[in-house]
Amino acid sequence: MLKKFSHFQREANLIGGKWVQADSGQTLDVVNPATGVKFGVVPKSGRAETRRAIAAAQEAFPAWAKRSALERSKPLRKLHDAIMDNQEALAELLTLEQGKPLAESRGEVGMSAAYVLWFAEEGRRVYGDIVPSPWADRRILVTKEPVGVIAAITPWNFPSSMLARKLAPALAAGCTAVVKPASQTPYSGLAWGVLAEEAGFPAGVVNIVTGSAAEIGDEICANPLVKKITFTGSTEVGKVLIQKASVTVKKVSMELGGNAPFIVFDDADVDRAVDGAIVAKYRNSGQTCVCTNRFLVQSGVYDKFVEKLVAATASLKVGNGMEDGVKQGPLIDEGAVCKVEELIADATSKGGKVVAGGARHVLGGTFFQPTVIAGAKSDMRFSTEEIFGPVSPVFSFDTEDEAIAMANATEYGLACYFYTGDLGRAFRVMEGLKYGLIGVNEGLITTVEAPFGGLKESGLGKEGGREGILDYLDGKYVCIGGLGL
Ligand code: NAP
């Protein structure tokens, strides 16, 4: 039977197979960003609840790790099916708490399911090595085993799929998990608890706590039972977690911020570039880590590109993500709108020209007009800061070398895009860009089959692809001697 979104909207934490409230009884409000209306509450848990969740994960670990990879893949496959059977309800829940258009939420939920299926399969392909031995009477094995209890902390912009990339490989590898979803979008995270129970995961394998980020984070970092932290969020918080995790020398995977350049060369197909630009910029109202932060356009096509981008933004219908045809929802909160306004004011004070949008939308609340700013310059704040909103600053350049230098002039190294019709240039530029993800004549490149992850201050480790399970495994070298061979 098809379930409604309310079935997945749990106002409780999952610890050791039980749905529980915070010890203090306190709660956090969850607000629908499209309406500003309170949508529900979740427990405001802290250190004590997190400690219990970690203990429950530790208790569940030996039996889960001992299962064969095939046995672990079975509930993962059920989990995949349960997500797809309930795609619509889960998408509605996501849009109601996060604001993105329903079509994007459906896509995100589908992506979550795809990660689960991918890692259900990858878990069965965790191979070790037999290494040629330098000794005649000894043999060398390299084996892999699950690290133990892992903790996953996730952001509000992709509350379902960011968790899928962590939970699915962790569970497939034989780890157990404590999850802390973002406070603004906790229900899509808590829904994983409902789904995991229904798919038959034993109690304690998946635990979910909501509440005080600092308290939950501190317990996760300090607790020696947690062997790995996997985090997606801002570089600022990621750095704090890396430092705190060093006290107990945990493994860390970090998916952090970005400052994606989108380069358009004179020889590019400009219409294709504009299509790519729309998806690489305005998806999720510009609130993705791989969203274009800076358009770098060669002088010969600059005016043409700006004109076509402006025309394309006019077709983006802004509104409540639950309504048909909406292409851009609200921003997550008032703080996000203020940041966008500040960045636009900074740009215009330094000579930038608003050629589309530039202000709050007539719908009010946190809706903002899709915006394009021509005449962007390197002293403007969005050269170095993540915009996280629907604003396209368009910079101009003359030469290929200049474009590469401008693109790399940031401490971030997550995603970048470039458009060219010249194959030689495609290789030169690709090799010159210091980024973990590169789209060549493509503006949307994430897929479960490929390794996702940033370089420089954008992160450590990869999610998805063959590589995505490796961070949940410890390698062991075993030397077997005295064989008398
Ligand atoms: P954020 O403020 O860093 O928060 C992310 C998560 O960390 C939330 O669950 C948050 O909890 C928690 N948190 C905050 N302070 C913490 C602390 N001291 N200890 C432990 N946990 C803490 O980031 P955000 O604003 O939600 O997300 C946007 C950022 O994520 C952007 O920079 C974006 O680029 C990045 N991002 C990166 C990727 C990627 O794959 N590289 C993907 C998506 C997003 P609360 O919600 O309770 O504060």
Side-chain angles (χ1 to χ4, degrees):
M1 196 185 68
L2 278 187
K3 295 174 182 123
K4 294 199 181 337
F5 76 80
S6 52
H7 174 75
F8 297 101
Q9 187 190 348
R10 283 300 158 99
E11 298 195 325
N13 287 175
L14 181 61
I15 299 179
K18 296 201 168 58
W19 289 96
V20 294
Q21 294 304 317
D23 293 354
S24 65
Q26 287 186 319
T27 55
L28 295 174
D29 289 350
V30 184
V31 173
N32 179 340
T35 60
V37 172
K38 181 170 149 186
F39 173 46
V41 294
V42 291
K44 189 177 178 196
S45 293
R47 280 196 91 134
E49 297 87 336
T50 308
R51 200 173 304 130
R52 286 200 292 278
I54 294 168
Q58 177 65 25
E59 198 181 327
F61 174 67
W64 182 248
K66 213 169 160 192
R67 284 194 189 192
S68 70
L70 177 62
E71 287 304 315
R72 286 197 297 266
S73 77
K74 289 177 183 167
L76 279 164
R77 282 171 174 280
K78 280 196 193 156
L79 182 58
H80 163 270
D81 294 347
I83 295 170
M84 288 314 289
D85 289 347
N86 295 289
Q87 185 175 16
E88 198 59 26
L90 292 165
E92 283 175 18
L93 186 64
L94 208 167
T95 290
L96 287 167
E97 66 177 353
Q98 204 277 341
K100 65 179 68 176
L102 199 49
E104 287 189 26
S105 293
R106 284 188 198 109
E108 181 177 342
V109 170
M111 189 67 131
S112 295
Y115 276 111
V116 172
L117 187 58
W118 173 259
F119 284 111
E121 293 161 351
E122 282 301 287
R124 300 178 63 195
R125 293 191 275 271
V126 172
Y127 302 118
D129 286 317
I130 297 175
V131 178
S133 170
W135 306 289
D137 65 340
R138 294 180 230 172
R139 293 293 179 266
I140 294 176
L141 311 185
V142 180
T143 63
K144 295 201 181 89
E145 56 187 45
V147 297
V149 174
I150 68 106
I153 303 177
T154 49
W156 51 262
N157 63 345
F158 288 93
S160 175
S161 63
M162 294 301 104
L163 194 44
R165 290 178 182 183
K166 301 178 186 309
L167 259 188
L171 299 177
C175 300
T176 53
V178 174
V179 171
K180 186 235 168 283
S183 298
Q184 286 168 306
T185 56
Y187 292 128
S188 295
L190 289 162
W192 281 89
V194 181
L195 290 158
E197 277 187 328
E198 293 176 1
F201 286 87
V205 170
V206 177
N207 304 274
I208 307 175
V209 284
T210 52
S212 161
E215 283 197 37
I216 295 170
D218 282 353
E219 181 60 31
I220 283 171
C221 290
N223 195 313
L225 295 177
V226 176
K227 300 300 180 207
K228 176 190 166 67
I229 299 179
T230 168
F231 172 75
T232 299
S234 61
T235 297
E236 191 188 350
V237 173
K239 286 180 181 176
V240 170
L241 292 173
I242 292 170
Q243 271 184 347
K244 289 187 178 170
S246 70
V247 174
T248 47
V249 193
K250 299 183 196 314
K251 274 181 188 270
V252 289
S253 302
M254 295 282 147
E255 294 291 346
L256 308 176
N259 182 353
F262 185 112
I263 310 171
V264 185
F265 289 99
D266 282 348
D267 56 25
D269 174 339
V270 174
D271 289 320
R272 187 177 173 87
V274 170
D275 287 348
I278 290 294
V279 68
K281 176 69 242 185
Y282 296 98
R283 192 164 59 105
N284 202 8
S285 306
Q287 303 171 114
T288 89
C289 54
V290 293
C291 269
T292 302
N293 216 59
R294 297 170 290 151
F295 285 94
L296 314 180
V297 183
Q298 202 160 11
S299 38
V301 289
Y302 188 90
D303 291 342
K304 188 170 161 193
F305 177 81
V306 169
E307 188 188 319
K308 286 181 181 251
L309 183 63
V310 167
T313 58
S315 66
L316 293 173
K317 184 179 170 196
V318 177
N320 186 323
M322 298 297 278
E323 287 165 18
D324 274 351
V326 165
K327 288 281 193 298
Q328 189 188 292
L331 298 195
I332 189 71
D333 57 23
E334 180 60 23
V337 181
C338 291
K339 165 116 194 251
V340 163
E341 286 181 324
E342 274 177 29
L343 293 180
I344 294 174
D346 169 73
T348 52
S349 75
K350 292 170 182 162
K353 190 167 166 223
V354 175
V355 288
R360 290 174 186 250
H361 196 273
V362 285
L363 285 171
T366 59
F367 292 98
F368 204 87
Q369 296 173 349
T371 296
V372 180
I373 297 183
K377 294 276 179 309
S378 60
D379 62 343
M380 295 175 184
R381 279 177 55 188
F382 34 49
S383 293
T384 50
E385 288 181 43
E386 231 181 346
I387 302 171
F388 246 55
V391 181
S392 295
V394 193
F395 299 72
S396 170
F397 70 87
D398 291 316
T399 68
E400 188 180 299
D401 286 347
E402 193 187 348
I404 294 171
M406 284 168 80
N408 286 338
T410 165
E411 71 270 23
Y412 293 112
L414 187 57
C416 67
Y417 313 88
F418 68 90
Y419 282 68
T420 178
D422 178 333
L423 192 56
R425 167 170 277 167
F427 276 91
R428 284 193 305 276
V429 175
M430 181 186 77
E431 288 163 11
L433 290 169
K434 195 76 181 155
Y435 283 85
L437 311 166
I438 302 181
V440 185
N441 296 327
E442 286 294 341
L444 184 62
I445 62 172
T446 306
T447 179
V448 299
E449 291 83 358
F452 185 104
L455 308 181
K456 294 158 74 178
E457 292 193 16
S458 286
L460 297 168
K462 301 289 179 197
E463 296 192 328
R466 251 182 320 120
E467 295 87 342
I469 199 166
L470 299 179
D471 271 351
Y472 298 89
L473 298 162
D474 283 329
K476 267 188 188 168
Y477 153 49
V478 185
C479 178
I480 307 170
L483 296 176
L485 298 168

